[in-house]
Amino acid sequence: MREGFVDLRHGGGSSEGSGGGNESFWPSFTDIMMVVMMIFMIVSVVLIMRNWELVAELRETMEAERRAAELARSTRETNATLEEQLAHAQHQLSELRMQLMQAAEADELKGRMLADREERIAALLAEKSAAAERRKQLEQQLQAALEEQTRQRTAFEQQLALNELQLTEAAAQAASQAETIDSLRRELELGGEQLNQLQGEYDTLKQKYDKLVRPARTARGKHVVEVRYEKVGSVYRIQYREPGDEGYRRMQRAELEKRLAELKKRHPKRLYIKIIIPDESGLTYSEAWGFMKELLERYDYYYQE
């Protein structure tokens, strides 16, 4: 018994030395467990902090991936918009080239018609000049006959009758040529009126065509194929390219239409045909316009609705 407390340990009252050994063992064990517990807590704290750092890095990585995906999506949309603008610009350029070809052909036709009429007028003026010269000669002959009247009246009367007959024929020829010239002038005026009428009809048709061409035609979200059409010498050349092709490949007209028919079935209401008429194509307006009109009306999505 110590300081008034009862020693309840087994054999506590019998041996003083054994009790002192037990008292030294348990405090040492408690200290070891406390150190182990502190080490465990420190390691746990370090692991928790490391996990927080890893979570933060993972969040930053996910945010960077999200930003990269957003940037890629924005880049794809920008590329699609630029491609659509390029396709629209090329289509407008082809239409402008056809309009220029049509205007050049109309000017050439007008020039040929005017040159032909000028040549005919020049020929008639030359004939009129020759008739005037002939009339002048006849008048001179008549004057000479009048001077010879006193010496050879009978011969003069005969010559006078002959000269009058020739003069009458020359006058008739001159009158006929004048009528011909007036007729040609009327034809020229009528041709100018017809040309103006045709020009008015062309303007009317162009306005109707512009009304029919709706601005909603776009390559966005469509399956775009390119068809290049030109004429080399007397040979018509068609070149074709689809998305993913490295370059153009040549095709015959029947093969091209077969391929477009397959794409029309495969991509209903999504087939966009971009027809390119290059500079110095060698085509006339009617050839270029006929080719474009037939392909668009048969296979392009915009003309199938």
Side-chain angles (χ1 to χ4, degrees), residues 280-297:
E280 304 299 332
S281 63
L283 298 168
T284 64
Y285 170 79
S286 59
E287 290 173 343
W289 173 243
F291 178 83
M292 177 180 287
K293 184 173 181 294
E294 289 180 2
L295 288 188
L296 292 179
E297 288 182 351

Side-chain angles (χ1 to χ4, degrees), residues 93-194:
L93 180 60
S94 298
E95 290 181 349
L96 290 175
R97 286 174 182 165
M98 289 190 296
Q99 292 176 4
L100 289 175
M101 286 189 293
Q102 183 187 22
E105 290 178 2
D107 290 339
E108 183 180 359
L109 178 60
K110 186 189 297 182
R112 288 199 300 267
M113 293 174 63
L114 292 176
D116 184 53
R117 286 181 172 83
E118 288 177 356
E119 289 178 358
R120 295 173 64 183
I121 291 173
L124 291 174
L125 290 175
E127 292 179 0
K128 183 179 180 181
S129 177
E133 184 66 25
R134 177 62 177 166
R135 181 175 181 177
K136 183 178 180 181
Q137 293 176 0
L138 292 174
E139 289 176 351
Q140 291 175 356
Q141 293 176 4
L142 180 60
Q143 184 66 30
L146 290 174
E147 292 176 355
E148 294 292 331
Q149 183 178 8
T150 56
R151 290 177 295 164
Q152 298 179 352
R153 186 176 183 84
T154 304
F156 170 75
E157 290 177 352
Q158 295 176 353
Q159 186 65 36
L160 180 60
L162 179 60
N163 289 338
E164 287 178 353
L165 178 60
Q166 292 177 350
L167 184 60
T168 302
E169 292 177 354
Q173 291 179 359
S176 177
Q177 291 173 357
E179 291 177 359
T180 304
I181 291 173
D182 293 336
S183 176
L184 289 175
R185 286 177 179 172
R186 287 194 296 272
E187 289 180 3
L188 182 60
E189 293 175 355
L190 180 60
E193 293 177 357
Q194 292 177 351

Side-chain angles (χ1 to χ4, degrees), residues 183-237:
S183 176
L184 289 175
R185 286 177 179 172
R186 287 194 296 272
E187 289 180 3
L188 182 60
E189 293 175 355
L190 180 60
E193 293 177 357
Q194 292 177 351
L195 183 60
N196 293 332
Q197 183 179 1
L198 290 175
Q199 184 67 33
E201 292 177 358
Y202 165 74
D203 294 338
T204 303
L205 291 174
K206 185 176 183 302
Q207 292 177 359
K208 292 181 179 179
Y209 171 76
D210 292 338
K211 291 180 180 179
L212 291 175
V213 177
R214 293 168 291 178
R217 186 172 186 263
T218 176
R220 180 187 294 273
K222 304 299 185 298
H223 185 78
V224 181
V225 298
E226 297 181 12
V227 178
R228 183 184 177 95
Y229 189 55
E230 58 185 347
K231 184 179 182 181
V232 180
S234 60
V235 179
Y236 296 94
R237 184 165 65 185

Side-chain angles (χ1 to χ4, degrees), residues 69-103:
E70 184 67 21
L71 180 60
R73 184 182 63 79
S74 176
T75 303
R76 287 194 299 270
E77 291 180 353
T78 303
N79 292 336
T81 303
L82 292 175
E83 182 178 358
E84 178 185 356
Q85 293 177 357
L86 177 60
H88 183 65
Q90 289 179 343
H91 181 73
Q92 289 183 341
L93 180 60
S94 298
E95 290 181 349
L96 290 175
R97 286 174 182 165
M98 289 190 296
Q99 292 176 4
L100 289 175
M101 286 189 293
Q102 183 187 22

